[in-house]
Amino acid sequence: FIIRRVIGLAKKGEEGDKISAFLTENEKKFYGFKNSKSTASSMWQSYADGGIEAIDFVRKMLIV
């Protein structure tokens, strides 16, 4: 989801500020999943881990 969305933003010509804001917004969401009792199952935790990993990857690749 994260990588596909960043590619979509880049194709639209969005600049680093919009991409960075998207990453920050979703990072908060994924950490919320990590820390919520309602999303404590291993499936939700794996989903959150994957999102956080994708955000870290994109930031390293784009230096955002």
Side-chain angles (χ1 to χ4, degrees), residues 20-64:
S20 182
F22 167 76
L23 294 173
T24 298
E25 174 185 325
N26 280 279
E27 185 175 46
K28 290 177 186 175
K29 178 179 77 172
F30 287 121
Y31 277 112
F33 291 152
K34 295 284 297 168
N35 297 314
S36 174
K37 290 181 182 180
S38 65
T39 54
S41 71
S42 61
M43 185 174 78
W44 275 107
Q45 294 300 300
S46 292
Y47 174 71
D49 289 341
I52 293 165
E53 183 178 338
I55 290 167
D56 289 343
F57 175 78
V58 169
R59 283 194 171 133
K60 287 176 185 171
M61 297 305 292
L62 298 178
I63 309 171
V64 174

